[in-house]
Amino acid sequence: MSDRDSWISNLGFVLAAVGGAAGLGNIWRFPWLTAGNGGSAFLLVYLLVVVGIGVPGLLAEFVLGRCGRQTPTAALRSLTGSRWGSWLGAFNVLTTLVILSFYSVVGGWILRYTLVSPVGTYFGQPQQYFGAMSFGLEAVAFHLLFLGIVAAIVFFGVSHGIERVSKVMLPGVVLILLGLAVWTATQPGTAAGYAFYLSFDADYLAANFLSVIGPAAGQALFTLSLGAGVMLTYASYLDDNASLPRDTLVIAVSNTFIGVLAGLVVIPLLFSQGVDPGQGGPGALFVALATAFATLPGGELVATAFFATVLMAAVTSGISLLETPVATLVDSFGVPRRRATVLVTVLLAVTGSGLALTSPVFQFVSGTLADLMLTVGLFAFTVIVGWLLRGEALAEFRAGTDRFEWVARPWLLTVSWVLPVVVLFLLTNTLASLAGMSLGFGGRALIAVVGTVVLAVAVTSGSWSDRLSSS
């Protein structure tokens, strides 16, 4: 593994990881999910999930990545000493392929809007324009163009491609979003938008908690790229001097800041123009904002800046998703990086084109299926770190850091018990909703607790426990 690519600097890793997380999940998905789930109520639950699940979960994935020093299939096989580790790694790679298949379709939408915004092509009839371009042969063409941009960056590797682009694009995203947030604050009629977004609504949360927790948790996992092996892959290129707790905290805070900042641009702007922020679902960013841009002085300029920002964020996330299957072919099968990039890109061109042609399948894959796969992946990571590795995980946690020593054991306790219970609750919540089952909060919580205990006993009493205790 000595000739394996690596980050030039720790800053490059942090920027790439933040860029990989802070993409369409923050700027496309977060505002319309927030608006459609009670505004401030959703924001509060989302922030709590990020702190309680996202941060320790992200750190667990980083520990797996640096400890394994390989991509998911090989790393998890080595760390678990079992064939199921390879299957889990393959599942992680499949998850990235599923996500990037629909992600590149949305990236194509963003690319198209960026190109036509300077002349305001969609200002006149935003709903009709989005409806005509979102699915069909034109959507396929822009999906392929966006995918080609992402592939060109991954083609040149970690240090010369991903790191260099992330160092430029991520600061650009933050600066433009800050400028747009300041500009939005000067628009008339934004007070109601800020109140909806920032003023806590306890009554709404009490009445709708179970319907809010699912989307909020799914968004937290999606925006932090947890459970797909993306962050595991990025951490596999780190050296032992990097402080994983510090980097995790910086990445999680930066990613959350970008999401909240995007909400401060989108939601008040929609309120200022009298547009319902919850309308349109996944198309809200395009339809509702286009309506607002059309009525603003200099709307073409504002629209161009906004969609260019979203495009940069989408590209940085796209390259993190593409890197995992490409690196898997490179590390596990010895395929040259450039050939691996071409092979995976061709596959994604086909799968993404299928989603760009069929709206119902796109809706299912981009929502329910993606959230389920990420939840399953994160649950498996907590099992490996919290119940199988334990001592090895603590040693990896402590490598490169002294300042966070006091957090090590509380973190392991959280990963071992708190995360599995919460993640299994979320999984039960989603599956029960899909099956149309009527399970209250107590029933779902009981299933999560009992399931966690039973699985913990089964795993820790098996042959893995003997293997790890002797290592």
Side-chain angles (χ1 to χ4, degrees):
M1 302 296 292
S2 60
D3 58 346
R4 196 166 183 260
D5 205 350
S6 62
W7 304 107
I8 296 174
S9 65
N10 188 252
L11 175 62
F13 159 70
V14 170
L15 290 176
V18 174
L24 292 180
N26 273 331
I27 307 179
W28 164 62
R29 207 171 187 253
F30 179 75
W32 66 262
L33 277 178
T34 303
N37 289 280
S40 59
F42 178 90
L43 177 62
L44 176 63
V45 175
Y46 167 74
L47 293 175
L48 291 175
V49 172
V50 167
V51 173
I53 299 177
V55 172
L58 180 60
L59 182 51
E61 194 161 340
F62 281 161
V63 164
L64 283 175
R66 194 170 68 176
C67 192
R69 298 289 186 186
Q70 299 176 83
T71 46
T73 51
L76 297 177
R77 173 63 184 265
S78 172
L79 292 173
T80 62
S82 172
R83 183 177 298 176
W84 77 264
S86 297
W87 286 108
L88 173 59
F91 178 81
N92 295 146
V93 175
L94 178 62
T95 302
T96 63
L97 292 172
V98 167
I99 293 175
L100 191 50
S101 293
F102 77 79
Y103 201 96
S104 61
V105 175
V106 182
W109 298 347
I110 298 289
L111 177 59
R112 178 165 181 160
Y113 270 74
T114 303
L115 294 175
V116 302
S117 287
V119 294
T121 303
Y122 52 85
F123 281 8
Q125 296 179 311
Q127 181 70 58
Q128 292 84 343
Y129 185 86
F130 179 77
M133 59 73 62
S134 53
F135 296 97
L137 293 179
E138 292 186 3
V140 170
F142 278 93
H143 142 67
L144 294 175
L145 183 56
F146 175 83
L147 187 60
I149 294 171
V150 172
I153 297 169
V154 175
F155 189 82
F156 290 102
V158 174
S159 56
H160 296 293
I162 299 173
E163 183 170 353
R164 286 182 178 178
V165 170
S166 299
K167 285 181 176 180
V168 174
M169 284 193 173
L170 184 65
V173 168
V174 174
L175 289 175
I176 297 176
L177 275 179
L178 281 171
L180 287 171
V182 171
W183 174 84
T184 300
T186 66
Q187 301 305 302
T190 56
Y194 290 121
F196 173 76
Y197 186 45
L198 301 175
S199 297
F200 175 55
D201 188 344
D203 293 336
Y204 181 93
L205 184 59
N208 300 277
F209 178 75
L210 285 178
S211 63
V212 172
I213 183 66
Q219 171 62 18
L221 267 61
F222 185 88
T223 190
L224 286 171
S225 299
L226 290 178
V230 170
M231 293 305 171
L232 186 158
T233 302
Y234 269 17
S236 73
Y237 300 116
L238 278 174
D239 59 39
D240 292 331
N241 295 323
S243 170
L244 294 183
R246 180 199 63 203
D247 291 348
T248 299
L249 189 61
V250 171
I251 291 165
V253 169
S254 301
N255 173 72
T256 305
F257 170 74
I258 291 174
V260 173
L261 186 59
L264 287 173
V265 175
V266 175
I267 295 175
L269 182 59
L270 297 180
F271 269 90
S272 75
Q273 303 304 312
V275 177
D276 179 4
Q279 71 179 23
L285 181 71
F286 305 92
V287 177
L289 277 179
T291 303
F293 290 146
T295 62
L296 293 170
E300 293 87 352
L301 179 61
V302 177
T304 302
F306 180 81
F307 283 114
T309 305
V310 182
L311 179 60
M312 287 191 291
V315 169
T316 57
S317 285
I319 60 181
S320 71
L321 289 165
L322 183 56
E323 174 61 19
T324 297
V326 168
T328 298
L329 290 180
V330 173
D331 287 354
S332 299
F333 300 96
V335 180
R337 168 170 284 272
R338 296 186 177 186
R339 185 183 302 171
T341 304
V342 172
L343 291 173
V344 176
T345 302
V346 169
L347 174 62
L348 289 166
V350 174
T351 56
S353 295
L355 296 182
L357 293 171
T358 53
S359 176
V361 178
F362 173 89
Q363 296 277 3
F364 173 75
V365 172
S366 64
T368 304
L369 182 59
D371 288 349
L372 275 174
M373 295 182 79
L374 291 173
T375 306
V376 170
L378 179 58
F379 184 80
F381 289 160
T382 63
V383 169
I384 295 172
V385 172
W387 300 340
L388 297 183
L389 297 183
R390 297 191 66 82
E392 294 175 46
L394 281 176
E396 198 64 53
F397 177 102
R398 291 167 172 146
T401 183
D402 293 324
R403 185 179 303 175
F404 296 94
E405 166 63 28
W406 63 275
V407 185
R409 291 197 175 278
W411 164 77
L412 185 61
L413 180 64
T414 300
V415 173
S416 302
W417 294 105
V418 178
L419 256 66
V421 170
V422 175
V423 174
L424 196 54
F425 173 86
L426 297 174
L427 190 59
T428 304
N429 189 49
T430 303
L431 292 174
S433 299
L434 281 176
M437 298 173 61
S438 179
L439 287 175
F441 180 87
R444 301 177 194 194
L446 180 63
I447 291 173
V449 172
V450 173
T452 298
V453 172
V454 170
L455 188 56
V457 171
V459 170
T460 55
S461 63
S463 59
W464 285 310
S465 178
D466 295 334
R467 166 190 167 265
L468 290 171
S469 62
S470 63
S471 60

